[in-house]
Amino acid sequence: MSSRLSFEQYLQNTTDQVTEALKEVIPVHWDVPQSLRDAMQYSLMAGGKRLRPLLVVAAAEALGAQRTAAFPVACAVEMVHTYSLIHDDLPAMDNDDYRRGKLTNHKVYGEATAILAGDALLTHAFYCVVQAGRKSGVPAEALLSIVEDLSELAGARGMVGGQVADMEGEQGMTDLEQLQYIHMHKTGDLIVFSLLAGARIGGATEGQLEALRVFGRDLGLAFQIQDDILDLTGDEQKMGKKTQSDVNQQKVTYPFFIGMEASLEQVRLLTQSAKDALGRAELQDSSRLMEIADYLMRRDH
Amino acid sequence: MSSRLSFEQYLQNTTDQVTEALKEVIPVHWDVPQSLRDAMQYSLMAGGKRLRPLLVVAAAEALGAQRTAAFPVACAVEMVHTYSLIHDDLPAMDNDDYRRGKLTNHKVYGEATAILAGDALLTHAFYCVVQAGRKSGVPAEALLSIVEDLSELAGARGMVGGQVADMEGEQGMTDLEQLQYIHMHKTGDLIVFSLLAGARIGGATEGQLEALRVFGRDLGLAFQIQDDILDLTGDEQKMGKKTQSDVNQQKVTYPFFIGMEASLEQVRLLTQSAKDALGRAELQDSSRLMEIADYLMRRDH
């Protein structure tokens, strides 16, 4: 066996490989209107942690699958995440001019193209899922379950439902339970999807899927509470956006409800509970997923 | 065998059954934010010809499948069509206040919810496709091909690409070739999808799929030219929208380029060519599809 990569190298390699794969799914000479292709590409390549693709790859590998088999679905989930950011940033929603230090999609391409680029990325995500079968031989039944999971966890009962609740929350109707709903759906569901999808590519059993679902829920909530914390305390340079924007927008956050100390404690507890669930999943090798959980808790941006 | 229904009865029955099926896929007590459910439901139930679901059902039956097996995919394509209308009507796009005589989605629910309701309908469409397997036993390979077709024909290379070209056309760069591109993608591709999906549910051969693709392309273009014509000459009451809106918006149309007489002739020629392709498809019973082609040519709204 080759010597084991450090976690930092593993992270960098995976991020780089996913970014390369993303370039290939939207080819330079694609027969679509140029402005649409450019707008799709712009936001896909605007940086970001590639956390969701990383989880797809790490979950697939934890089950013993080849990482290349996971790339098409890794691209799919990054497209869904990217479309959701483009639509969230629109004037009718959060009305943000910058994301990750770059102009938002509609500031560059105009609102109409931004809406349609989002629509096209969401649609193309499902194309990418099917390609995991065409290219890497992932079985049809597993792919259909991935399509089903994606449509549920990214849809009305998942991410989009969380976004609607978030918007309504901004109109001042939020309590902690509502905030938890928002976090679990708006952010958590796509994290859960990534883990389930990777696991399905690796041929996971129902029991393993269930354990990974719990891992994903706890990890997703911890991730989002950490985001709330970093938004109040983080370094603007590292975050690539104005911090304290939640305060300025009167957006309620975990620290708002339970205070900073208790929020930090929640992140620790949820991360531990996530890792416990992972320990029960009896995966072939869960070490990278464990490292990812620790990494997310430690991150400063 | 039971006596054959008249085409009008067949049309009415199918439309009614699809509308019932659409009610079931967005249940009253769905665990999603109420405003989101309401907004999705509002546009899905705002009337319309249900042409695309009709084509799914008719194509499936033409191959000998049970019509109930086609309902989940029929619902899926209507959701995709509906989402595209919601997004098209937005202020950033066509900025329409009315559609089919009713207020547009964003006029009732606000822009943010309208964008998200569109996103949720598109996402839920893929869920419905998978349900055709769960409920009616359509084989996994056929369903994956349907997911693939939908993601291509509704995406950047299909419907969304057509919409982008249409928007750019409004800025005055259109010629007849460009208009044909817009019509074929913005409208035609979802019609092609409907036929292919129905045929796949019925277990079509590659040759049959190819013939139906040609049928769909010609039918779709004829349908859209007919729309251009009706927009100039149609009865506002029947159309459920202001006619001559294309003239008022300086939108270029087939009659604008080749005149009214030649446009009418194009509709006739394309319908005939569509029916010829259908004749070559060697379906079990192509009579309803033939009747639909004639009906679309004769329609006055």
Side-chain angles (χ1 to χ4, degrees):
Chain A
M1 266 185 71
S2 60
S3 66
R4 186 179 158 86
L5 294 178
S6 74
F7 179 68
E8 285 64 32
Q9 278 180 303
Y10 174 83
L11 196 65
Q12 189 65 52
N13 284 0
T14 309
T15 309
D16 289 350
Q17 287 168 11
V18 165
T19 302
E20 281 310 304
L22 281 168
K23 283 182 191 158
E24 278 169 33
V25 289
I26 300 193
V28 178
H29 298 291
W30 214 26
D31 55 338
V32 310
Q34 189 66 33
S35 59
L36 177 62
R37 188 200 162 281
D38 290 349
M40 293 169 77
Q41 181 81 357
Y42 175 80
S43 290
L44 264 184
M45 291 301 145
K49 284 180 283 290
R50 310 288 191 215
L51 167 62
R52 294 152 192 83
L54 173 70
L55 291 172
V56 178
V57 171
E61 288 183 322
L63 270 293
Q66 292 295 315
R67 58 170 36 206
T68 48
F71 285 160
V73 177
C75 290
V77 73
E78 190 68 3
M79 285 185 184
V80 172
H81 176 57
T82 302
Y83 116 78
S84 79
L85 300 180
I86 295 174
H87 282 191
D88 278 13
D89 288 336
L90 287 168
M93 309 253 216
D94 288 350
N95 195 21
D96 278 320
D97 290 354
Y98 288 91
R99 165 156 320 256
R100 297 169 189 155
K102 287 188 159 186
L103 284 171
T104 47
N105 199 289
H106 66 273
K107 294 303 284 184
V108 179
Y109 297 97
E111 261 185 81
T113 302
I115 294 168
L116 292 165
D119 294 345
L121 283 167
L122 170 57
T123 311
H124 201 55
F126 288 95
Y127 182 81
C128 291
V129 173
V130 178
Q131 299 319 305
R134 306 274 184 253
K135 287 182 190 163
S136 312
V138 179
E141 277 302 339
L143 292 176
L144 277 183
S145 293
I146 292 173
V147 170
E148 192 173 30
D149 286 347
L150 184 57
S151 60
E152 283 216 67
L153 293 162
R157 273 182 290 191
M159 186 184 71
V160 173
Q163 171 66 3
V164 170
D166 191 18
M167 279 181 1
E168 291 176 351
E170 285 169 33
Q171 288 147 31
M173 296 176 291
T174 312
D175 55 22
L176 184 61
E177 195 185 341
Q178 178 76 351
L179 182 64
Q180 199 166 326
Y181 176 93
I182 293 166
H183 282 357
M184 293 191 77
H185 291 293
K186 188 173 169 175
T187 315
D189 280 346
L190 219 49
I191 286 175
V192 171
F193 166 77
S194 302
L195 293 159
L196 295 181
R200 288 188 192 281
I201 290 166
T205 64
E206 282 303 316
Q208 290 174 320
L209 291 169
E210 206 33 63
L212 281 168
R213 191 185 287 274
V214 176
F215 174 68
R217 273 187 199 156
D218 289 346
L219 193 72
L221 187 53
F223 176 82
Q224 191 55 51
I225 298 174
Q226 180 78 337
D227 241 32
D228 284 357
I229 293 168
L230 287 171
D231 198 81
L232 291 168
T233 64
D235 183 313
E236 278 191 18
Q237 204 85 41
K238 284 184 182 158
M239 301 281 288
K241 63 177 177 183
K242 288 215 179 305
T243 51
Q244 303 214 307
S245 67
D246 290 352
V247 179
N248 297 336
Q249 286 182 28
Q250 306 271 321
K251 216 162 179 165
V252 289
T253 61
Y254 254 75
F256 173 89
F257 281 117
I258 64 174
M260 185 60 80
E261 273 312 305
S263 298
L264 287 163
E265 181 63 12
Q266 272 296 310
V267 173
R268 278 189 296 271
L269 288 173
L270 284 164
T271 303
Q272 190 53 54
S273 143
K275 288 168 72 177
D276 292 346
L278 188 60
R280 292 191 298 272
E282 299 182 9
L283 308 180
Q284 189 171 319
D285 179 2
S286 61
S287 58
R288 292 302 187 191
L289 289 171
M290 291 284 184
E291 288 173 339
I292 292 170
D294 287 327
Y295 156 71
L296 290 178
M297 185 172 61
R298 285 196 319 268
R299 77 199 159 99
D300 60 4
H301 65 285
Chain B
M1 267 186 69
S2 62
S3 66
R4 186 180 159 83
L5 294 177
S6 73
F7 179 68
E8 285 66 31
Q9 278 180 304
Y10 174 84
L11 196 63
Q12 189 65 51
N13 283 0
T14 309
T15 310
D16 290 350
Q17 287 168 12
V18 165
T19 302
E20 282 310 303
L22 282 168
K23 285 182 191 159
E24 280 169 34
V25 289
I26 300 193
V28 178
H29 298 291
W30 213 25
D31 56 338
V32 310
Q34 189 66 32
S35 58
L36 177 61
R37 189 201 162 279
D38 290 349
M40 292 169 78
Q41 180 82 357
Y42 175 80
S43 290
L44 263 183
M45 291 301 147
K49 285 181 283 288
R50 310 289 191 216
L51 167 63
R52 292 152 194 82
L54 174 70
L55 291 172
V56 178
V57 171
E61 288 184 323
L63 270 294
Q66 293 293 316
R67 59 169 36 205
T68 48
F71 285 160
V73 177
C75 289
V77 73
E78 190 69 3
M79 285 184 183
V80 173
H81 176 56
T82 301
Y83 117 77
S84 78
L85 299 181
I86 294 174
H87 283 190
D88 277 13
D89 288 336
L90 288 168
M93 308 252 217
D94 287 352
N95 195 21
D96 278 320
D97 291 354
Y98 289 92
R99 159 144 341 244
R100 297 169 188 156
K102 287 185 159 188
L103 283 171
T104 46
N105 199 289
H106 65 273
K107 295 303 283 185
V108 178
Y109 297 97
E111 260 185 83
T113 303
I115 293 168
L116 291 165
D119 294 345
L121 283 168
L122 170 57
T123 312
H124 201 54
F126 288 95
Y127 183 80
C128 291
V129 172
V130 178
Q131 298 320 304
R134 306 276 184 252
K135 288 181 188 163
S136 312
V138 178
E141 276 302 340
L143 292 175
L144 278 183
S145 293
I146 292 172
V147 169
E148 191 173 31
D149 286 347
L150 184 57
S151 61
E152 283 217 65
L153 293 162
R157 272 182 291 190
M159 186 183 71
V160 173
Q163 172 65 5
V164 170
D166 192 17
M167 278 178 5
E168 291 177 349
E170 284 167 33
Q171 289 148 31
M173 295 175 291
T174 313
D175 56 22
L176 183 61
E177 195 185 340
Q178 178 77 348
L179 182 64
Q180 199 167 325
Y181 177 93
I182 294 166
H183 282 358
M184 292 191 78
H185 291 292
K186 187 174 170 175
T187 314
D189 279 346
L190 220 49
I191 286 175
V192 170
F193 167 77
S194 303
L195 293 159
L196 295 181
R200 288 188 193 281
I201 291 166
T205 63
E206 282 303 316
Q208 290 173 321
L209 290 170
E210 207 33 63
L212 280 168
R213 190 185 286 274
V214 176
F215 174 68
R217 273 187 199 156
D218 288 347
L219 193 72
L221 187 53
F223 175 82
Q224 192 54 51
I225 298 174
Q226 180 77 338
D227 242 32
D228 284 357
I229 293 168
L230 287 171
D231 198 82
L232 291 169
T233 63
D235 182 312
E236 279 190 16
Q237 205 84 41
K238 284 183 183 157
M239 303 279 289
K241 64 176 177 183
K242 287 216 180 305
T243 51
Q244 303 215 307
S245 68
D246 289 352
V247 178
N248 298 336
Q249 285 183 27
Q250 305 272 321
K251 213 161 182 166
V252 289
T253 61
Y254 255 75
F256 173 89
F257 281 116
I258 64 173
M260 184 60 79
E261 273 313 303
S263 297
L264 287 163
E265 181 63 11
Q266 272 296 310
V267 173
R268 276 190 297 271
L269 288 173
L270 285 163
T271 303
Q272 190 54 51
S273 144
K275 289 168 71 177
D276 291 347
L278 188 60
R280 291 192 299 273
E282 299 182 8
L283 308 180
Q284 189 170 319
D285 179 2
S286 62
S287 58
R288 293 302 188 192
L289 289 171
M290 292 282 185
E291 288 172 341
I292 291 170
D294 286 329
Y295 155 73
L296 291 178
M297 186 173 61
R298 282 196 321 266
R299 78 200 159 98
D300 59 3
H301 66 284

